[in-house]
Amino acid sequence: MTLYLAIGPPPYELPLAVADSPTELGRMVGAPVDTVRTHICRAMRGEVKLAKYIRVDIGEEDEAEVNERC
């Protein structure tokens, strides 16, 4: 199972919104879906230190499969 989260500012970085898809998360926070997806992919690749949107995989998945979806 995969969850998509909008994260608050430091120092606490608490989840502001939790959704089942990037589309749903974008609608919840009022951001374009492409922006949410871009932020998630950049956070997964380590290009940003403070991610605004993240993806959390719950359960067992193959790491190569996760990287292919990005």
Side-chain angles (χ1 to χ4, degrees):
M1 174 184 225
T2 303
L3 296 177
Y4 298 86
L5 285 73
I7 303 297
Y12 301 112
E13 298 181 4
L14 297 173
L16 300 176
V18 179
D20 291 328
S21 69
T23 304
E24 185 180 344
L25 183 60
R27 288 182 187 147
M28 291 172 73
V29 298
V33 177
D34 291 334
T35 301
V36 172
R37 288 185 179 145
T38 300
H39 280 258
I40 290 170
C41 286
R42 287 182 179 167
M44 289 177 61
R45 289 186 297 227
E47 294 178 8
V48 293
K49 290 185 180 180
L50 299 173
K52 196 171 188 181
Y53 307 104
I54 61 170
R55 183 175 85 188
V56 178
D57 294 315
I58 300 172
E60 296 180 22
E61 287 191 1
D62 184 36
E63 188 172 323
E65 181 180 308
V66 171
N67 291 332
E68 287 179 3
R69 286 191 235 152
C70 193

